[in-house]
Amino acid sequence: VNQLEMTYHNLYLTYTPDRSRSLSRKKLALTLGIKAARHEVIVTVNANSRINSPQWLSLITRNFDEQTDVVIGYATPNPDSDTIKGYRRRAFDRVAEATVYLSAAINHSPYRGFSYNLAYRRQCFFDNKGFSRSLNLHFGEDDVFINEITTQKNTKVELSNDSIVECHFYDPIESHKILKRRYSYTSKYLRKGYRTLFAFYSILLWIWLLLSISTIFISLPNLFPTTIVAILGLILWLPIIYTWRGAAQALKSRLLRLTIPWFVMTRPFYNAIYKLNSKRNYRRNHTWIKK
């Protein structure tokens, strides 16, 4: 940063005091940076964010107009950086999570952003009194905060290829677990509309599976109903697989095929495990409790 300051005189560096223990350092750092900023639009990235295109900043900020206060971007790990056991599940889970909150924002029901690639007006921060409503949490600087400042009309989404940021994790497994636990805990503070819709979608798929198994079992040894069920299963799942592959491709994630039905069906249980785990780790979530 010191080297960059010699070339870019508008670059300003601040820091959080080492004695800052009983509060979220991330929120304190953002607050200091936002207060020190000289212009109207704030764009946030993380230390492990990699900007791969010189067009990134112009693409994110091009969305701001008189009605727009928030622009939600997207960040994803490079698929080749995670080849450890369970990488397919993690890849699908990231795409599924992003599909829910991005589609909600596109359809004017925003409730979450991702701090790795996010922009909003500085005045929104002050009008909301910063992170005052979530100071008791170690995190929430993106999802809880965005849930507070967004409306049906003031938010846009930027998903062009050059606007997507690449994030790097030294330990893909542990990093995924940490982020999953965080967002599982803060989800109770967010609007539930689209998340409820996707949960209902999972319930319908399980109803289909149970009815199909029951039909096959009751009709044995007659194989004609089994054949019909198999054909209907293909008609159902081929478009689902094609749709999820398209979403993964658009979000620069790993492309999956035959594992998609399994991940789609088991994701509610996968989420439930992290939900319970985040509640058990209550002390990690709050700033006023010593770890």
Side-chain angles (χ1 to χ4, degrees):
V1 173
N2 289 332
Q3 292 177 348
L4 291 171
E5 282 182 321
M6 297 175 64
T7 304
Y8 303 98
H9 300 293
N10 61 331
L11 183 61
Y12 177 75
L13 175 67
T14 186
Y15 66 94
T16 57
D18 290 334
R19 291 173 292 178
S20 304
R21 302 293 181 186
S22 299
L23 73 166
S24 168
R25 290 191 174 190
K26 179 72 175 292
K27 290 175 185 171
L28 177 58
L30 282 169
T31 300
L32 293 173
I34 291 169
K35 287 187 175 181
R38 301 172 186 173
H39 297 285
E40 181 183 8
V41 174
I42 302 297
V43 185
T44 69
V45 293
N46 283 16
N48 59 332
S49 298
R50 174 179 291 177
I51 312 301
N52 291 325
S53 171
Q55 302 301 318
W56 162 74
L57 193 58
S58 61
L59 291 171
I60 289 293
T61 55
R62 69 178 177 175
N63 294 278
F64 285 96
D65 53 32
E66 293 182 357
Q67 290 185 324
T68 304
D69 295 321
V70 180
V71 176
I72 298 174
Y74 182 65
T76 182
N78 188 318
D80 297 330
S81 66
D82 183 5
T83 56
I84 308 172
K85 183 180 179 180
Y87 65 89
R88 291 186 179 88
R89 165 72 75 177
R90 290 189 292 275
F92 177 81
D93 187 67
R94 281 190 293 267
V95 170
E97 191 70 33
T99 298
V100 178
Y101 77 80
L102 290 173
S103 60
I106 291 171
N107 285 282
H108 309 292
S109 299
Y111 68 89
R112 178 185 158 188
F114 199 29
S115 62
Y116 285 80
N117 195 6
L118 184 63
Y120 46 86
R121 292 190 188 275
R122 187 167 176 258
Q123 191 58 44
C124 283
F125 180 82
F126 295 119
D127 290 344
N128 193 63
K129 296 182 180 178
F131 305 115
S132 60
R133 300 178 193 175
S134 59
L135 285 178
N136 61 316
L137 300 175
H138 274 294
F139 25 83
E141 69 283 343
D142 46 10
D143 53 351
V144 176
F145 178 67
I146 292 302
N147 187 72
E148 292 171 351
I149 67 172
T150 53
T151 67
Q152 292 184 347
K153 297 182 179 180
N154 76 341
T155 305
K156 290 185 179 180
V157 176
E158 178 58 58
L159 286 177
S160 57
N161 282 336
D162 287 337
S163 73
I164 297 178
V165 169
E166 190 175 295
C167 47
H168 289 254
F169 301 106
Y170 292 108
D171 187 340
I173 296 177
E174 187 61 25
S175 298
H176 183 76
K177 288 180 179 179
I178 291 172
L179 289 174
K180 190 74 177 173
R181 284 196 297 262
R182 288 181 179 181
Y183 290 124
S184 295
Y185 188 81
T186 55
S187 63
K188 63 183 179 180
Y189 299 99
L190 311 180
R191 291 185 284 272
K192 298 181 180 180
Y194 263 72
R195 290 181 292 137
T196 303
L197 180 64
F198 273 76
F200 183 66
Y201 156 74
S202 298
I203 292 172
L204 289 178
L205 288 176
W206 274 102
I207 292 174
W208 164 83
L209 180 62
L210 293 174
L211 290 175
S212 298
I213 293 174
S214 300
T215 301
I216 293 172
F217 181 78
I218 293 172
S219 64
L220 289 176
N222 186 354
L223 296 180
F224 180 74
T226 302
T227 304
I228 296 300
V229 168
I231 293 172
L232 292 176
L234 287 174
I235 294 173
L236 171 68
W237 281 106
L238 287 177
I240 292 176
I241 293 172
Y242 178 80
T243 300
W244 280 113
R245 276 180 61 85
Q249 186 175 17
L251 297 176
K252 295 186 176 182
S253 182
R254 187 179 300 276
L255 300 181
L256 305 175
R257 291 186 181 88
L258 298 180
T259 52
I260 289 177
W262 169 252
F263 292 151
V264 170
M265 297 293 291
T266 57
R267 190 165 185 269
F269 305 102
Y270 184 71
N271 288 340
I273 292 171
Y274 277 97
K275 193 80 172 178
L276 291 172
N277 187 270
S278 66
K279 290 181 178 179
R280 289 174 183 172
N281 291 278
Y282 185 83
R283 300 173 67 87
R284 296 181 183 178
N285 300 320
H286 292 87
T287 58
W288 48 274
I289 299 177
K290 292 184 179 180
K291 294 183 180 180

